[in-house]
Amino acid sequence: MINVTKTFLPPQDEYQAILKKAWDTGWMTNRGVLVKALEKQVKSYLKTPNIICMTNGTLPIQIAIKALKLQGEIITTPFSYVATTSSIVWEGCTPVFVDIHPDYLTIDETKIEAAITNKTSAILATQVFGNPCDIEAIEAIAKRHNLKVIYDAAHCFGVNYKNKSVFEFGDVSTCSFHATKLFHTGEGGALFCNPNLYDLMYQHHNFGHDGPEAFHGIGINAKMSEPQAAMGLSVLPYMSDILEERKRVVETYLHLLPGLKTIKIRAHTEWNYSYFPVIFNSEEEVLRVMKRLNEEAIYPRRYFYPSLNTLPYVHDTEMPISEQIAKCVLCLPLYHGLAEADIIKICNLIKASVC
Ligand SMILES: *Cc1c(COP(=O)(O)O)cnc(C)c1O
């Protein structure tokens, strides 16, 4: 069976040797030595000024909305994983969708200003498949209209834009370390922010604690545990391997499927090969390709379908480009160790079912 992704697992003895440190201290959570070590190592690997590791990649989005006291409307992309939109609604705000760019698949910055009203408090955009939005344009719009900017950068571990980690842009940037993402801690995630927001974000992820007996304000529990951090610490040394392997797989696909449309990566980006989306000509073609691949126990995924403006709990507005892309996109299997012969087989099956 070949799935869209396969979790990278480090040698088990390396994981256990790190986990043993949790046994030695008797600490399983509450920011023990392993979480602190992971934060230090990730900061140095990515060259980011700060990070708060969390228990998944959704809580940092919710915490950012809560801690920045966002209200009213938040402008967002309809082409993302559901967590981007659900976090807005969960925090009592209203998502206002702006359609995407047909090649970059990120929010179309030229359409943002038309969606701003006097209720707009922020822009929450996704750096989808690790492809940066038009960060400069979004920053300029946010400045002009006094809006906060949050980036859902769940797919962006290792992505640099203009020689800087993409996590450094926006007031807050979030990442997911879920087992399906390219760097993972089983479940996990992180929040990166403008340094003057660090204390506020930190407090919110730990119940609002100000020492053991006092509180700054409201908070929630989003702390990463020690076993999660142990996984991260044992995966991190393999990151350059993982990135190289993924690059090999993507380049093989591009070589074997020269006619197919895929995502256009923005200039000045060092990409992380996190996904390989193919945009077919029609939904019917996608379903045909899926059926043929499924018959051979190959399971690509429709990332991201449906377009989020059609969720049952949002006000439905038409987003023609996002809806069209969502119907026609299929992410092909992409992971460390995917064999050359399997890639060739996948490409042959696709070619046979699209012509
Ligand atoms: C994976 C993902 C999330 C959520 O991350 P979890 O760690 O699963 O909570 C949020 N946004 C996007 C775009 C994602 O792909």
Side-chain angles (χ1 to χ4, degrees):
M1 183 166 76
I2 298 175
N3 284 318
V4 69
T5 191
K6 183 174 165 188
T7 303
F8 175 85
L9 290 176
Q12 204 180 344
D13 58 333
E14 293 178 18
Y15 175 64
Q16 275 165 352
I18 295 172
L19 197 57
K20 183 176 178 300
K21 294 181 190 168
W23 256 255
D24 294 344
T25 59
W27 278 63
M28 282 294 132
T29 188
N30 283 357
R31 300 190 47 87
V33 289
L34 299 182
V35 164
K36 286 181 183 155
L38 181 64
E39 287 183 347
K40 190 165 172 231
Q41 289 188 24
V42 171
K43 271 198 297 191
S44 120
Y45 179 82
L46 299 173
K47 303 187 179 63
T48 52
N50 63 54
I51 178 176
I52 306 168
C53 282
M54 298 199 188
T55 198
N56 62 49
T58 304
L59 278 161
I61 306 173
Q62 294 175 355
I63 285 173
I65 296 170
K66 178 78 80 188
L68 293 171
K69 295 194 164 57
L70 301 183
Q71 287 184 328
E73 298 172 355
I74 299 179
I75 288 178
T76 191
T77 174
F79 190 70
S80 183
Y81 183 58
V82 69
T84 316
T85 299
S86 65
S87 296
I88 295 173
V89 178
W90 191 268
E91 291 303 329
C93 296
T94 305
V96 172
F97 295 99
V98 166
D99 213 346
I100 57 168
H101 190 283
D103 301 325
Y104 295 116
L105 312 183
T106 47
I107 194 166
D108 186 342
E109 66 285 351
T110 65
K111 295 179 179 160
I112 291 177
E113 282 193 297
I116 294 175
T117 71
N118 57 11
K119 295 198 193 107
T120 309
S121 59
I123 300 167
L124 167 46
T126 300
Q127 322 274 31
V128 76
F129 301 136
N131 197 24
C133 301
D134 188 334
I135 285 169
E136 288 89 357
I138 290 174
E139 197 172 298
I141 293 166
K143 251 197 195 124
R144 263 200 302 282
H145 298 271
N146 197 22
L147 306 176
K148 301 288 185 198
V149 178
I150 302 170
Y151 286 115
D152 179 343
H155 309 154
C156 289
F157 198 91
V159 173
N160 287 319
Y161 177 68
K162 298 199 168 160
N163 297 317
K164 244 163 77 166
S165 168
V166 82
F167 297 137
E168 285 197 49
F169 299 94
D171 295 285
V172 174
S173 190
T174 66
C175 190
S176 168
F177 300 162
H178 186 261
T180 56
K181 306 297 204 282
L182 89 172
F183 170 74
H184 79 96
T185 57
E187 291 274 2
L191 183 149
F192 302 82
C193 60
N194 185 320
N196 61 28
L197 293 172
Y198 177 85
D199 289 345
L200 184 70
M201 297 297 158
Y202 183 94
Q203 290 152 15
H204 273 79
H205 107 294
N206 185 25
F207 298 105
H209 266 294
D210 176 13
E213 292 165 10
F215 296 89
H216 293 281
I218 196 167
I220 197 166
N221 179 9
K223 296 185 306 292
M224 178 180 275
S225 71
E226 294 291 274
Q228 287 176 294
M231 179 59 83
L233 285 164
S234 48
V235 172
L236 194 61
Y238 292 93
M239 273 319 293
S240 56
D241 252 24
I242 292 171
L243 288 168
E244 233 171 79
E245 271 276 286
R246 299 180 78 101
K247 180 168 186 235
R248 169 188 68 84
V249 175
V250 167
E251 284 175 353
T252 310
Y253 275 131
L254 289 171
H255 176 71
L256 294 173
L257 297 170
L260 289 189
K261 185 181 172 196
T262 182
I263 192 170
K264 181 177 180 190
I265 300 299
R266 202 172 291 280
H268 311 294
T269 303
E270 269 171 72
W271 189 43
N272 64 355
Y273 306 89
S274 47
Y275 295 84
F276 190 69
V278 173
I279 298 151
F280 289 95
N281 292 309
S282 64
E283 183 169 28
E284 192 257 317
E285 203 168 88
V286 168
L287 297 175
R288 206 162 1 117
V289 168
M290 284 231 306
K291 183 163 173 284
R292 189 69 195 91
L293 291 173
N294 289 174
E295 283 164 5
E296 304 288 327
I298 299 165
Y299 301 98
R301 285 287 299 269
R302 299 183 78 185
Y303 293 149
F304 290 100
Y305 177 85
S307 187
L308 298 173
N309 55 301
T310 66
L311 285 171
Y313 52 83
V314 303
H315 175 67
D316 195 3
T317 40
E318 277 180 27
M319 293 285 127
I321 299 172
S322 176
E323 286 169 44
Q324 177 66 16
I325 298 277
K327 280 181 184 147
C328 296
V329 70
L330 198 58
C331 279
L332 302 186
L334 168 53
Y335 51 85
H336 185 279
L338 181 61
E340 195 84 2
D342 288 329
I343 306 173
I344 293 168
K345 180 173 169 187
I346 291 166
C347 292
N348 285 339
L349 289 166
I350 291 173
K351 282 195 255 185
S353 34
V354 296
C355 64

